[in-house]
Amino acid sequence: MDFTGAHILSIKQFERADIERVFKVADSMEPYAQRRRVTRVLEGAILGNMFFEPSTRTRVSFGSAFNLLGGEVRETTGFKNSAIAKGESLYDTARVLSGYSDVICMRHPESGSVAEFAGASRVPVINGGDGANEHPSQALLDLYTIRKELADRGRSLDGLRIAMIGDLKHGRTVHSLCKLLCLFDNIHVTLVSPPELAMPEAVTENMREAGLKVVVSEDLAHGIGHVDIAYATRIQEERFTSKEEANLYRGRFRLNQAIYTQYCEPNTVIMHPLPRDSREDANELDNDLNLNPNLAIFRQADNGVLVRMALFALILDVVDQVDACARDVNWYSGSR
C-alpha cells in the first residue's frame, strides 16, 4: 500500500510486505522511544486525538508517539466534551476538525463509525477502535511484540502457535489480530472461550480459508498446553446489555502462575491487550505472574509507541527525515 496520506481503518488494507515495512520503521524508532535521541521531524504538525470511549494506553500511546516525533497533540475525550453532544454529525465533525489537524486518531463505540468519519475527513484518520469491530494499530503492535519475543528464541512468525482466551466475541483486538495472522504461513490458532463469547464465525472461517489451522475449545488447560503465545482478553463489560450479564462469564478463564507451570510450555509468552481486570471476581491474569519473565504485557505496551511512531512517520512521509532532525537527549533517562 501507499502509506502517504492513507487512512488506517482495517487490517484488510495490509499485505505482508506492508507489515514488514511498518515493523522495519518501528525498529528504527527505538532510540527515540527509549529517550536516547530526540527528533523534531514533525515540529509544527498537529494530531487530533478523538476518543469517545474510555482509553488510557491507546490514547496516551498515540499522543506520546506523536510528541516523540516532535508534533503537538490536541485531545477530545468523551461525547459530553464534544459538539456531538449537541447533535453534530460525524460528517460535520470530520470536516471541521480535519481543518485543525494534520492527522486524526479516533475511537468510537459504534462499528463502522471511524470509517464514516474518515470519509469526510480532509486528513488521514487512524482507527483507534470502533466498537467490537477492529483495532488495527493494536493488532500491529501485538504482532510486532510476538515477532520480537519469538526472535529472542530463534523463531519467526511463520509456524506460530497461539491461544486466544476469553471474550473473543466482543474483543476487537483479537478480531484484528486474527485477520493479520492470515498473512503468514503455518499458523495454528486455538480459540478458548465460552460458546456464548466465541470468535465470530466470519473471522474463524476467514482464517481457515487462508490456510490457518483453527481449533475451538472451552478447555483452558488444553488450549494453552502447546502454544508459543497465550493471549488473554478481559470480559468486555461495556459491550454487554448489563453488568449482570457480563458477570456470568467474568473470571471463567483465569491464568495464574500455578496453572501456567502445570499446563504451559516453559517459554510460553503471556500477552494481553490491557487493561487486565485485576478485580477479585475477574483477575484473568493474576498478579502472581508479574515476576514471570515470560509475561510480556508491559513490553507489549511499550511496543505500541514504536508501532504508532512508525505509522505516523509513514503516513506523513517523513521516514527518511527522522534522523536528520535528531539530537542526543539532555536529561536523565538511564532508568529506562
Side-chain angles (χ1 to χ4, degrees), residues 66-257:
F66 207 75
N67 287 150
L68 287 167
L69 290 170
E72 299 184 16
V73 182
R74 301 290 182 268
E75 293 195 332
T76 299
T77 57
F79 286 108
K80 292 181 180 179
N81 298 319
S82 78
I84 292 177
K86 303 175 182 178
E88 184 173 66
S89 68
L90 280 177
Y91 178 90
D92 287 1
T93 303
R95 295 296 293 175
V96 171
L97 292 184
S98 59
Y100 303 156
S101 309
D102 295 282
V103 61
I104 291 172
C105 177
M106 184 179 184
R107 171 172 288 186
H108 196 283
E110 295 180 11
S111 297
S113 54
V114 179
E116 179 184 348
F117 179 93
S121 174
R122 292 175 278 174
V123 300
V125 175
I126 301 176
N127 184 358
D130 60 329
N133 182 33
E134 278 209 58
H135 195 345
S137 69
Q138 180 71 46
L140 290 169
L141 77 88
D142 286 343
L143 193 67
Y144 183 73
T145 301
I146 293 169
R147 170 180 169 267
K148 292 180 75 172
E149 297 290 326
L150 291 180
D152 289 342
R153 295 158 172 77
R155 299 272 309 284
S156 69
L157 287 168
D158 293 319
L160 171 69
R161 302 168 301 163
I162 182 171
M164 299 182 186
I165 307 153
D167 185 354
L168 307 184
K169 176 181 179 180
H170 301 107
R172 58 193 171 201
T173 63
V174 289
H175 298 170
S176 289
L177 182 56
C178 285
K179 294 174 183 178
L180 199 52
L181 291 176
C182 291
L183 299 175
F184 295 84
D185 300 324
N186 193 28
I187 305 293
H188 188 294
V189 181
T190 303
L191 304 174
V192 183
S193 71
E196 300 86 353
L197 300 182
M199 185 70 72
E201 188 64 25
V203 177
T204 304
E205 284 307 307
N206 185 53
M207 285 192 287
R208 288 182 170 136
E209 289 172 3
L212 279 65
K213 184 175 181 180
V214 182
V215 175
V216 177
S217 176
E218 298 177 54
D219 186 343
L220 177 64
H222 176 267
I224 63 177
H226 301 286
V227 297
D228 304 301
I229 307 290
Y231 187 110
T233 64
R234 69 180 175 87
I235 299 300
Q236 305 275 308
E237 181 180 313
E238 63 273 24
R239 312 287 177 215
F240 288 81
T241 57
S242 67
K243 182 177 181 180
E244 290 70 29
E245 183 185 4
N247 285 341
L248 296 174
Y249 307 101
R250 203 187 309 277
R252 185 83 66 89
F253 295 111
R254 297 187 181 190
L255 183 58
N256 57 31
Q257 186 58 51

Side-chain angles (χ1 to χ4, degrees), residues 145 149 153 230 232 255-257 260 266-272 274 276 284-301:
T145 301
E149 297 290 326
R153 295 158 172 77
L255 183 58
N256 57 31
Q257 186 58 51
Y260 180 91
N267 288 321
T268 299
V269 176
I270 306 165
M271 294 177 60
H272 191 297
L274 299 180
R276 57 174 166 170
E284 67 266 7
L285 285 186
D286 197 291
N287 288 333
D288 71 1
L289 290 165
N290 286 353
L291 298 180
N292 187 321
N294 294 310
L295 183 73
I297 59 176
F298 303 118
R299 297 192 290 273
Q300 189 179 352

